[in-house]
Amino acid sequence: MGIEISRLRRQFGNFAALDDVSLSIGDGEFVAVLGPSGSGKTSLLRILAGLDQPDAGSVLRDGQDLLALDARRRGVGLVFQHYALFPHMTVAQNVAFGLRVRPWRQRPRASAIKASVENLLRKVELEGFAQRYPAQLSGGQRQRVALARALAIEPRLLLLDEPFGALDAQVRVNLRGWLREFHHSLGITTLFITHDQDEALEMADRVVLMNRGRIEQIGTPEQIYRQPATPFASRFIARGQALPGVVREQQLHLFGHTWRIENFPAEGAHEITVHVRPEDIVLASLPADGLNAQLLSLRHVAGTVRASLRVGNMDEPIEAEWSERDWARHNAPVDDAIGIHFQALSVFATDREGRVLAHATVHPPHASFPVAVGPWRRVEA
């Protein structure tokens, strides 16, 4: 049955850390809770771990009230960002800690604890490190010790609180794949807290995007990236950039182009937002059926070209991202004019409170693939 979180609320004075949060987590699922600082993700983790109590709402695990159990009886393993290892204990002693502090009636025999520690160190690829101290380990090794310690109590739920935040970039990349495979080998229900979009999209079965104490969107990494449901999701997940599009009489008008939108209730909307992702700005030859843009700056980063462009009469430039191969076919100097197309646009209609009334994705007809998504069609003059 998994975990059912229903209408969870946590208030600190006038600040709602969690505002009516509901979420279902399946058995053995790897869920990433993603969001900026202050979005409520750590408050959710603390409540699940038994470190805090909500002001309202419920949490059921297999039909049992999880909130009624104290932290020690919840069967929850917790891995912190900064490891929280005991510096005066060896690796083996750190991993065994959760078993050794159990009440004596529940405590395994010393031989069983030793066997469990050896097995866990083998699983996290730290055989031969049992007698070392945390100061003698690298950051990635310490994080794996912290994971082994959390798993020693055989938790039913594993909570990871920004576990890679204190590691350098290359170690984080290496540990992502390792942790994903490790999770699949164990099948433990896992909740992964992060503010890093790449980590969430690469590792999770599903992503829960939070903002200001509320859930903005839930979906697979592909769904949440390709089909953002709110302007915030578009900006935070897909680096969506605002364009000066307007909708009038079921038509989207943008930079002199017009597309008809069927069943898009823009009437009564307080605001229409049009977003484009950097990778959906495609280079075109001049003259073209696309748009003319001024190339403001150019940066070569790890096999990609990142450009800052001024389009039309926009005050703010927009960012585009191309492969080195695509750019080599154009190779225009800075301040020159280039041609671009938009492969995909996200359009949102919101009310005065920012609630989304409607959203859709359009693939303009001049894109490199057929227009087959959404009730959109080009309006010919």
Side-chain angles (χ1 to χ4, degrees):
M1 295 175 62
I3 296 172
E4 291 289 335
I5 300 169
S6 179
R7 310 201 69 174
L8 215 57
R9 184 171 184 82
R10 185 67 174 102
Q11 193 87 16
F12 296 97
N14 295 325
F15 174 70
L18 295 175
D19 187 4
D20 203 34
V21 169
S22 296
L23 172 66
S24 296
I25 304 172
D27 279 332
E29 192 175 20
F30 193 120
V31 173
V33 180
L34 173 67
S37 297
S39 61
K41 55 188 188 296
T42 299
S43 293
L44 176 61
L45 177 141
R46 288 176 55 81
I47 288 171
L48 293 176
L51 303 177
D52 194 12
Q53 288 291 322
D55 297 307
S58 64
V59 180
L60 301 180
R61 183 175 61 195
D62 299 336
Q64 182 184 24
D65 184 2
L66 192 67
L67 300 180
L69 303 175
D70 61 41
R72 186 174 292 187
R73 296 170 55 211
R74 291 189 183 190
V76 172
L78 181 57
V79 178
F80 297 97
Q81 176 179 346
H82 295 285
Y83 327 125
L85 299 178
F86 300 110
H88 62 286
M89 293 184 181
T90 65
V91 166
Q93 290 169 338
N94 267 283
V95 175
F97 180 78
L99 298 175
R100 293 189 183 278
V101 297
R102 282 180 173 175
W104 71 270
R105 292 181 182 274
Q106 303 171 18
R107 189 182 310 154
R109 294 187 177 186
S111 58
I113 292 176
K114 183 174 183 294
S116 176
V117 169
E118 291 174 352
N119 180 51
L120 283 167
L121 291 180
R122 186 163 51 250
K123 284 183 176 179
V124 299
E125 301 175 8
L126 287 176
E127 292 178 275
F129 289 78
Q131 299 310 311
R132 294 194 187 184
Y133 289 88
Q136 298 172 309
L137 305 177
S138 69
Q141 289 169 338
R142 276 178 278 178
Q143 192 59 276
R144 281 185 278 159
V145 173
L147 180 61
R149 183 178 62 182
L151 294 172
I153 63 171
E154 299 181 344
R156 298 179 59 191
L157 173 63
L158 180 63
L159 303 177
L160 306 174
D161 187 12
E162 303 271 8
F164 304 146
L167 304 176
D168 63 62
Q170 188 56 53
V171 174
R172 287 203 306 269
V173 171
N174 293 339
L175 279 180
R176 285 177 199 166
W178 177 86
L179 180 57
R180 174 73 179 170
E181 294 302 318
F182 189 71
H183 164 80
H184 278 309
S185 70
L186 297 178
I188 296 176
T189 303
T190 302
L191 200 68
F192 180 90
I193 304 297
T194 182
H195 66 273
D196 188 305
Q197 295 93 325
D198 290 342
E199 286 180 359
L201 296 177
E202 180 179 339
M203 298 174 62
D205 299 321
R206 283 191 304 149
V207 176
V208 178
L209 178 61
M210 296 192 68
N211 181 38
R212 298 181 180 179
R214 288 180 171 268
I215 293 177
E216 290 269 338
Q217 187 173 356
I218 302 174
T220 66
E222 182 70 11
Q223 288 170 342
I224 208 165
Y225 185 81
R226 295 293 176 188
Q227 302 166 23
T230 68
F232 173 81
S234 176
R235 290 191 303 270
F236 192 81
I237 295 288
R239 296 182 294 160
Q241 305 167 98
L243 299 177
V246 296
V247 175
R248 291 192 300 266
E249 298 179 352
Q250 296 290 295
Q251 291 182 339
L252 169 65
H253 302 267
L254 178 63
F255 294 126
H257 292 264
T258 303
W259 293 272
R260 183 163 184 81
I261 313 175
E262 304 287 354
N263 303 317
F264 191 83
E267 294 78 9
H270 175 67
E271 184 177 13
I272 299 295
T273 305
V274 182
H275 281 179
V276 65
R277 295 175 298 197
E279 65 268 33
D280 285 330
I281 300 175
V282 183
L283 286 162
S285 299
L286 283 173
D289 183 35
L291 300 169
N292 292 348
Q294 181 187 9
L295 181 62
L296 300 179
S297 66
L298 203 65
R299 305 174 302 283
H300 296 262
V301 182
T304 64
V305 176
R306 298 176 185 176
S308 181
L309 308 174
R310 174 163 286 120
V311 183
N313 58 358
M314 289 183 62
D315 293 330
E316 295 294 326
I318 59 175
E319 298 294 313
E321 187 170 294
W322 309 304
S323 69
E324 293 276 8
R325 179 179 298 178
D326 287 342
W327 176 245
R329 292 197 290 266
H330 294 77
N331 202 25
V334 172
D335 291 330
D336 205 358
I338 61 173
I340 61 170
H341 287 153
F342 296 136
Q343 283 200 129
L345 300 169
S346 297
V347 186
F348 305 91
T350 55
D351 63 15
R352 291 185 178 277
E353 284 71 41
R355 293 185 293 257
V356 175
L357 304 175
H359 67 92
T361 301
V362 60
H363 297 290
H366 49 243
S368 58
F369 48 83
V371 184
V373 178
W376 300 73
R377 60 184 178 86
R378 181 75 174 270
V379 175
E380 303 297 342

